[in-house]
Amino acid sequence: MVPSKGGGQTVGETLDGLISRLERTSDMPGLDAQVLLVCLLDKPRSWVLAHPEVPLTRNRYAVLEALVARLERGEPLPYIVGHWEFFGLEFEVTPDVLIPRPETELLVERAIAWLRKSEPGSRELKVMDVGTGSGCIAISLAVNVPGLSITATDISPAALKVARCNAEKMNVSGCITFLETDLFPNPLIPDSFSMIVANPPYIPTNTLYKIPVYGREPTLALDGGSDGLALIRRILTEVPDRLLSGGLFLMEIEASEGPAVHSLASDAFPKARIQLHKDLAGHDRLLEVQA
Ligand code: GLN
């Protein structure tokens, strides 16, 4: 346990106490305990692990106790510490944006592989990220494939503020245009892209109400309507007009939506090559359309 009055405990003892305390509420108590101590001490994880003998001050205990109490009340750890790692990069996150998920790295990996094959050096590759949230997809692409021109949209001005800040922090704001709009830019401004990517809200409303993320992360970023496909349908209606011939469309989907999304994509792209990819847990997670 973290002692409420403090005094005398070392970093190592505090870490051990935290791990056993978090076992009750967390799937990954060891990792969460480390992340909390890293935040509390403002030192790298390697320092925390290498200095178990350093004593913690009474003030630090009080701050740690407050952080743990928030976690135990159900607040997601990334919002408490204010940042989260995705694709090897550290993204600022606030309750205005979805917390980046490891399964979304699948989309980023496939996007990067395709963009690199397309030799961005020879012409400017235009990419669109629909519903960018924290900006984690657009920014990971910009960091890993120099020379892209990316348009990243979101309906939430608060999310766009976080995304812009992340782009600046990672020195890629020059190649990303952030746009406040509902999915796509105004149709009166025609623009075509070599690649369109999206991680839209895809959880069916009634399922969302029953899962722990409800009320903890932005509903706007999670709620996919009654069958989870409302936004996906709208996106698939627009993508054919926006994607250049030979371009690639990648969209994250919910595990049970594979067959339905495949059929919607076949209607939207009768001649394209359409594939579903599974995530590491073996669930359908990504739609790929090669136009
Ligand atoms: N993968 C997220 C979750 O399961 C949902 C993300 C989304 O709706 N795009 O919580």
Side-chain angles (χ1 to χ4, degrees), residues 104-123:
T104 306
E105 294 185 347
L106 173 65
L107 184 156
V108 173
E109 271 162 21
R110 290 203 75 90
I112 290 175
W114 188 88
L115 290 165
R116 287 193 176 144
K117 256 196 348 227
S118 305
E119 293 178 53
S122 56
R123 66 201 154 103

Side-chain angles (χ1 to χ4, degrees), residues 136-205:
C136 66
I137 296 176
I139 292 166
S140 301
L141 298 183
V143 166
N144 286 282
V145 187
L148 298 176
S149 165
I150 305 179
T151 301
T153 71
D154 209 287
I155 195 171
S156 156
L160 285 170
K161 202 170 151 205
V162 175
R164 280 197 186 96
C165 167
N166 278 320
E168 258 163 51
K169 199 174 92 182
M170 286 173 247
N171 294 316
V172 290
S173 47
C175 54
I176 308 179
T177 305
F178 291 100
L179 210 59
E180 185 188 329
T181 185
D182 186 4
L183 299 181
F184 288 90
N186 187 329
L188 297 175
I189 314 168
D191 207 357
S192 301
F193 298 87
S194 300
M195 171 180 279
I196 298 179
V197 292
N199 176 15
Y202 54 62
I203 302 183
T205 309

